[in-house]
Amino acid sequence: MDEMTATATSAAAAATAGVSSSSSSIFTNYPLISAFVAFAMAQTIKFFTAWYKERRWDLKQLVGSGGMPSSHSATVTALAAAIGFQEGFGGSVFAISLILASVVMYDATGVRLHAGRQAEVLNQIVYELPAEHPLAESRPLRELLGHTPPQVVAGGLLGIVTAAMGHLLIIASGQT
């Protein structure tokens, strides 16, 4: 019985140590940092590309969806690539992250893009309603929901480059 108690105590201590060390390592989690950096870069680039197209500053671009490049694609490809660089491209974790990235990117160009186009049409219909119609005063639907294929590809490339640069920084610092 004492041996089982000692084993259980050791396992509990190891689990507690694992939790405390893993929670403190969130700031050194290379895949997570790569994903956040790629997201921030995509949103920042989107802010400037929106200014270039419209010649006005739109702070909503820093947090909004839609636009060039796709921050969703940048985020999930950076995550998948960083996991591949860190854990290997043949592992299960990379496979999971690759499937996640594929689903997100497909959704951005499919469902979300078409939902945005439908919102455009619906907004136009509501705009043309007579003033006395109950829906005439309704708030417009968000139209920028999805991405065109070039926006998704640009986001994906940004994510891969971000993860690769992070990987090179880790190699250069000797933290492998």
Side-chain angles (χ1 to χ4, degrees):
M1 204 57 139
D2 289 322
E3 194 174 309
M4 287 176 51
T5 305
T7 304
T9 305
S10 312
T16 304
V19 167
S20 64
S21 69
S22 67
S23 65
S24 66
S25 68
I26 193 167
F27 299 108
T28 58
N29 186 323
Y30 156 61
L32 183 64
I33 291 169
S34 292
F36 282 141
V37 168
F39 175 82
M41 288 176 60
Q43 291 298 112
T44 302
I45 292 168
K46 197 182 301 188
F47 178 71
F48 288 105
T49 56
W51 174 84
Y52 182 76
K53 281 176 59 178
E54 300 171 17
R55 296 292 184 209
R56 67 177 181 85
W57 296 110
D58 184 6
L59 291 176
K60 286 186 249 175
Q61 291 295 323
L62 290 172
V63 292
S65 58
M68 173 67 95
S70 166
S71 57
H72 292 90
S73 299
T75 303
V76 293
T77 56
L79 179 66
I83 288 171
F85 288 131
Q86 182 174 297
E87 307 289 332
F89 292 96
S92 299
V93 178
F94 174 71
I96 292 167
S97 62
L98 181 63
I99 296 302
L100 169 72
S102 300
V103 168
V104 167
M105 294 166 76
Y106 175 79
D107 182 62
T109 57
V111 176
R112 290 177 58 239
L113 178 63
H114 289 92
R117 289 182 178 162
Q118 288 175 354
E120 267 181 72
V121 171
L122 290 170
N123 285 339
Q124 185 62 39
I125 290 169
V126 169
Y127 176 74
E128 293 174 4
L129 289 173
E132 61 274 0
H133 194 282
L135 293 176
E137 296 298 319
S138 62
R139 224 177 42 209
L141 299 170
R142 284 187 46 217
E143 296 176 4
L144 272 179
L145 299 173
H147 294 282
T148 62
Q151 293 169 339
V152 168
V153 169
L157 291 173
L158 175 63
I160 292 168
V161 168
T162 302
M165 296 301 288
H167 184 65
L168 291 175
L169 286 172
I170 288 171
I171 290 172
S173 70
Q175 295 179 2
T176 29

